[in-house]
Amino acid sequence: MTHHTHEDTAPPEAAATDHRRLLEIRGVSKEYVSVKGASVRALDDVNLDIGDGEIIAIIGPSGCGKSTLLRMVAGLDTDYEGTIEWTRAPRPGRDIGFVFQEPALLPWRTVARNVSLGIEVQKDRSDLPTDRVDQLLELVGLRDFAKSYPKELSGGMRQRVAIVRALAYDPRILLMDEPFGALDAITRDKLHDDILRIWAATRKTIVFVTHSVEEAAYLADRVVVMSPRPGRLRSVHQVPLDRNRDAATRQLPVFAEFAGMLRGELA
Amino acid sequence: MSSTTERRDRALPLLVGAASLAGGVGLWWALAAFSGLPSYVLPSPGQLVTRAVSLWQAGGLSIHLQQTLAEVLQGVALGSVIGIALAVLFVRVGWIERLLMPIIVVIQVTPKISIAPLIVLWLGLGIGSKITLITLVTFYPVLINMVGKLRGMPSTMHDLADVLNIRRGRRALLIDLPYSLPALAAGLRVGVLQAVTAAVIGEFIGAQAGLGYLEKQAQDNDDIQVVMICLILLSAIGWALYTLVGLIERKLTERFGG
Ligand SMILES: Nc1ncnc2c1ncn2[C@@H]1O[C@H](COP(=O)(O)OP(=O)(O)OP(=O)(O)O)[C@@H](O)[C@H]1O
Ligand SMILES: [Mg+2]
């Protein structure tokens, strides 16, 4: 690790050099054709490199194409112009963890069986500890609800289940679409620290969409700001903080200054 | 809300239903007793019960009841399986739907009663022709309800299956089937009633046993009492199945619904 002190905002390209490149997004554009035949340019010439082990936040106004971009990276949307190239192609069903904008839990499965779904459907995951699901549920404070059904949980609890479901099979890259939007501030802060802890232990690549500039600043190495109609990358900012972040980080003047700058970019 | 008021909420409609049923029987009894109609035209409830009991004791009722029940249950089971399988296939494999849907629609718009003679001619007087007929009428509402439910599946559920690389048969079993099971009961609600009708039609047209067969025979012998006994038993079967499906629907929705 070389970037413990990025006290000033480094140029965007510098960040990727700290990490081996994992993903290269080049000239990606996407047009949706509406039922009436009118076309909406959801993404326009998006270029972005994502390094292995990097945490990237994507922010931007509603409708600027954040979900669309994330779905493309996940391989859920393959109908676009441009290229998304991986240094090492993700193995289907194994390397990508995705947290959707809604929890999307299977109502007929218990919480534990929802979390274990991704492990169940893979061939041989004897590399994972047998109490993996319990550990993850413990992590998000839901161990007592392992045998409950999703409809018995609150919205925030469901979203926590969805997050650990995406982590359960130990994917290389974690993609999250507004994962913390439905949570109260305390749970959100706790999950932020959980995510950072998971990152510290596994060095997963994490790309997440958020509407909160504080969340972006607290979690990310780099923040991608998008602008709407057509969806473009407006700017990419290196977060001027080292990787060791905790509650005190939010009190730092540089944190407030950076978050304020992001807020200004969004306006 | 306390459990006593809950129980009262459930008991009240039951009570009203029982009362209206009892009222109907009372009216029937009064009509039979005071209208001056001869009892071979309108037997009284008491006479009918006596006749039914003696028929039952002579063994002349239970074989027919069993036959019709066997037909309906097997036909509905087969119809459900076919309806479920087709629904999952239709939603996943577009060309199968395009290939089969026209045939299915033609079969469904043709009055069942006009198909029945053909099926009896082809498959004979035994249980096979009745089961076929019942299957034909039950798979359709099951299919339509299941397809509707599957097409309304939230897109994130599809995305989840894609991200986890759950495909084909496994996807059908792990996701499509459990997701759409509540719709099975909705389809069967319509299906079981049509199934009883189809059984009777089949038995009218050509059979060796069954309540419809017995009723037709009684009609040929001008035996109004037996006709009415058959009719009442058939409606009891219909009611029992309808109630059972309602029960199954509640359970399925509880277990598999959001
Ligand atoms: N299936 C679709 N068909 C047509 N247009 C679509 C479709 N999905 C998205 N769009 C359009 O693409 C644009 C980007 O949508 P996207 O969901 O990526 O936005 P977003 O940035 O995630 O917004 P939000 O913050 O509200 O989630 C929007 O203008 C939207 O209208
Ligand atoms: Mg979105």
Side-chain angles (χ1 to χ4, degrees), chain A residues 30-35 40-43 60-71 101 177-178 209-211 226 229 231:
Chain A
K30 164 99 189 171
E31 214 148 272
Y32 281 113
V33 179
S34 78
V35 186
V40 181
R41 202 154 177 83
L43 288 177
S62 181
C64 69
K66 305 180 295 293
S67 296
T68 304
L69 184 61
L70 211 61
R71 288 171 51 81
Q101 226 166 324
D177 198 347
E178 295 181 39
V209 171
T210 179
H211 280 291
M226 292 182 67
R229 277 176 292 278

Side-chain angles (χ1 to χ4, degrees), chain B residues 220-243:
Chain B
D220 293 344
N221 299 332
D222 280 332
D223 190 342
I224 286 182
Q225 292 193 354
V226 173
V227 168
M228 288 180 75
I229 291 169
C230 291
L231 183 102
I232 290 168
L233 284 177
L234 283 167
S235 101
I237 291 178
W239 177 80
L241 288 173
Y242 193 72
T243 311

Side-chain angles (χ1 to χ4, degrees), chain B residues 60-69 208-211 213-214:
Chain B
L61 214 49
S62 68
I63 40 161
H64 297 296
L65 184 65
Q66 278 168 24
Q67 175 80 7
T68 302
L69 271 177
Q208 288 150 332
L211 289 171
Y213 166 79
L214 185 64

Side-chain angles (χ1 to χ4, degrees), chain A residues 159-182:
Chain A
Q159 194 61 10
R160 281 183 269 160
V161 176
I163 291 170
V164 290
R165 173 181 63 191
L167 285 168
Y169 48 99
D170 198 22
R172 266 204 297 148
I173 176 166
L174 182 62
L175 306 171
M176 304 192 284
D177 198 347
E178 295 181 39
F180 313 115

